[in-house]
Amino acid sequence: MAKIAMRTPLVEIDGDEMTRVIWAWIKRDLLEPYIDLVLERYDLGLPARDRSDDRVTLDAAAAIRKHGVGVKCATITPNAQRVEEYSLKAMYKSPNATIRAYLDGTVFRTPILVRCVEANVKSWKAPITLARHAFGDVYKNTEFRVEVPGSAELVYKDADGQELSRQRIASFTGAGVLQAQYNTDESIASFARSCFRYALDQNQDLWFSTKDTISKTYDRRFQDLFQSIYDDEFAAAFAAQNRSYFYTLIDDAVARVMRSEGGFIWACKNYDGDVMSDMIASAYGSLAMMTSVLVSPDGCYEFEAAHGTVTRHYRRHQAGESTSTNCIATLFAWTGALRKRAQLDSLDALAQFAHKLEAAAIQTIEEGSMSADLVRLSTHANTITLSTEDFIGAIRSRLEAM
């Protein structure tokens, strides 16, 4: 067959360790034989980040803004041990956090379903996508340990130092703790627009939940901004697609989610989203079967796997041992990015290829050939544990048969 042509560059962001190895194998065996890839590549592996003093991360984010679509391999956020291991000049920040902040984006995580790996919640028939507002709240808090009796107040001053508000928080008769957190209208509005845009893109209903009955100012601001942006900017588009926006309290949302059949997007504040995304991933089976998409409010997309760099398998790979690493989430990052590039550039052949490659991967698993982690979860009667490369090879054989 003639290779499928691309026009606009897709931003390729390479990463670290075992996922970097898998990244190269996927390109070699599942993409390059069939697509005349047009890529603008950025290496975010730790050595390359160190050589550029991490400037390459901002360059990659700027490229996504320029071209509209990127695909990212898993990367390392270095701790002290990693600084020593790689002889780094600094303990660089999370590349994901840097790119997310540059694009002002929201992360959407969706499980990849296969029939032989059953969800722990039996009513779930379709994926639930979790959207987390990864800004502010408890993750940017200010905390204080109270040691002696006294009182605490919340004081706000304008830019000129004039006091505008002073409210008593609590009086302490002994030791205790204090915490202050914040958010901004700008960030909340960007979160809302990303959620509405992604729901329309996926043709799914959107749920949003807070606890405004308790947090009558803080959480209520989230609710009010979501509703006003929906009414002013998105209601007509949702109606045209026969889709709905639904708000409820977080505790009611949890109960509804557990009784639902899935198939919707659930938007949560920062802490709620952190907890619920892990619950969704675990209940559907495996983090290795979870996609992650960063969506900016102006419509830029970055696709990646939800998991990390699989360090333990990489150590074995370095030692020359065979591994059985699940490549599905990384593969679906590529197919998601190719599909979005195809959608923006009106390339039907590229979109169809992405769909067929995903179908080939799922059929390979459902026929019993899979990585070791899926064998442990599978209800299939006759499973075959494949090495990482053999798993990719089996997907290619299924793709060519299709």
Side-chain angles (χ1 to χ4, degrees):
M1 57 174 283
K3 286 189 177 183
I4 299 168
M6 293 179 60
R7 292 195 294 268
T8 309
L10 175 64
V11 180
E12 177 197 0
I13 303 174
D14 212 339
D16 290 293
E17 297 190 322
M18 196 65 210
T19 46
R20 186 183 182 96
V21 175
I22 293 172
W23 192 264
W25 290 344
I26 288 174
K27 284 180 63 180
R28 180 194 68 192
D29 294 344
L30 298 177
L31 301 178
E32 289 174 343
Y34 312 105
I35 307 171
D36 188 7
L37 291 169
V38 179
L39 303 172
E40 187 170 314
R41 184 176 181 271
Y42 295 84
D43 187 356
L44 264 59
L46 268 184
R49 293 177 62 201
D50 193 54
R51 287 193 297 270
S52 71
D53 296 323
D54 208 27
R55 176 67 201 181
V56 66
T57 304
L58 286 174
D59 291 343
I64 295 173
R65 174 164 288 169
K66 177 182 177 181
H67 297 299
V69 187
V71 57
K72 180 180 172 297
C73 183
T75 49
I76 295 171
T77 300
N79 55 17
Q81 183 268 325
R82 294 292 200 171
V83 170
E84 181 179 355
E85 177 186 350
Y86 284 86
S87 300
L88 302 177
K89 289 178 283 188
M91 193 180 299
Y92 301 109
K93 296 179 180 179
S94 160
N96 288 346
T98 299
I99 295 171
R100 184 168 60 236
Y102 186 94
L103 296 176
D104 195 18
T106 295
V107 175
F108 298 84
R109 289 189 167 186
T110 308
I112 302 163
L113 303 191
V114 292
R115 283 196 297 267
C116 58
V117 178
E118 297 179 356
N120 292 326
V121 181
K122 300 306 179 185
S123 64
W124 289 354
K125 307 301 181 186
I128 297 170
T129 297
L130 199 291
R132 173 188 172 190
H133 182 215
F135 178 86
D137 296 353
V138 69
Y139 299 87
K140 290 288 186 178
N141 69 10
T142 301
E143 298 180 326
F144 181 71
R145 173 77 167 106
V146 174
E147 301 285 356
V148 299
S151 62
E153 295 179 325
L154 191 64
V155 179
Y156 185 77
K157 299 178 181 179
D158 65 18
D160 296 325
Q162 181 180 354
E163 185 176 309
L164 301 182
S165 176
R166 178 182 294 266
Q167 299 184 46
R168 177 176 293 275
I169 299 172
S171 295
F172 289 83
T173 58
V177 288
L178 283 168
Q179 181 186 94
Q181 54 181 294
Y182 75 96
N183 226 294
T184 67
D185 281 11
E186 180 182 16
S187 181
I188 298 168
S190 292
F191 175 47
R193 290 188 175 95
S194 293
C195 289
F196 290 128
R197 183 183 299 275
Y198 192 68
L200 292 171
D201 185 61
Q202 299 298 304
N203 194 23
Q204 290 186 316
D205 295 337
L206 176 67
W207 296 16
F208 178 55
S209 55
T210 68
K211 191 68 172 178
D212 66 285
T213 52
I214 301 300
S215 179
K216 299 180 186 299
T217 300
Y218 195 104
D219 279 22
R220 182 56 185 263
R221 188 58 181 158
F222 278 80
Q223 180 191 356
D224 288 347
L225 282 174
F226 260 76
Q227 191 64 54
S228 64
I229 290 171
Y230 174 75
D231 291 341
D232 294 344
E233 302 176 26
F234 293 96
F238 269 68
Q241 291 187 195
N242 197 28
R243 290 299 178 183
S244 64
Y245 164 61
F246 170 67
Y247 172 80
T248 189
L249 297 173
I250 183 67
D251 42 355
D252 180 57
V254 171
R256 289 173 179 265
V257 164
M258 299 304 288
R259 296 192 302 266
S260 76
E261 294 186 355
F264 55 87
I265 299 166
W266 182 17
C268 293
K269 288 171 53 194
N270 207 346
Y271 180 79
D272 296 337
D274 190 1
V275 174
M276 295 305 167
S277 63
D278 285 348
M279 183 272 287
I280 294 290
S282 177
Y284 273 105
S286 171
L287 189 62
M289 298 288 284
M290 181 75 71
T291 65
S292 181
V293 185
L294 177 70
V295 182
S296 73
D298 58 352
C300 296
Y301 288 70
E302 181 213 56
F303 296 79
E304 66 175 328
H307 58 71
T309 58
V310 202
T311 304
R312 180 171 56 87
H313 286 202
Y314 183 59
R315 299 297 183 224
R316 292 172 53 192
H317 174 76
Q318 285 180 307
E321 300 177 22
S322 177
T323 68
S324 182
T325 314
N326 191 335
C327 63
I328 295 298
T330 301
L331 175 58
F332 273 56
W334 273 105
T335 55
L338 290 170
R339 184 184 296 108
K340 175 52 66 174
R341 184 76 276 161
Q343 177 187 345
L344 295 177
D345 294 350
S346 300
L347 298 174
D348 290 342
L350 185 61
Q352 291 174 19
F353 174 84
H355 174 74
K356 288 181 179 179
L357 182 51
E358 290 180 352
I362 291 172
Q363 287 182 23
T364 300
I365 296 170
E366 292 181 343
E367 289 171 359
S369 299
M370 59 193 77
S371 54
D373 64 311
L374 292 178
V375 169
R376 292 189 291 269
L377 297 170
S378 177
T379 60
H380 200 287
N382 299 298
T383 58
I384 301 173
T385 302
L386 299 177
S387 69
T388 312
E389 280 193 279
D390 287 345
F391 190 19
I392 292 172
I395 295 170
R396 177 170 178 170
S397 296
R398 168 53 56 186
L399 175 65
E400 291 181 346
M402 292 170 63

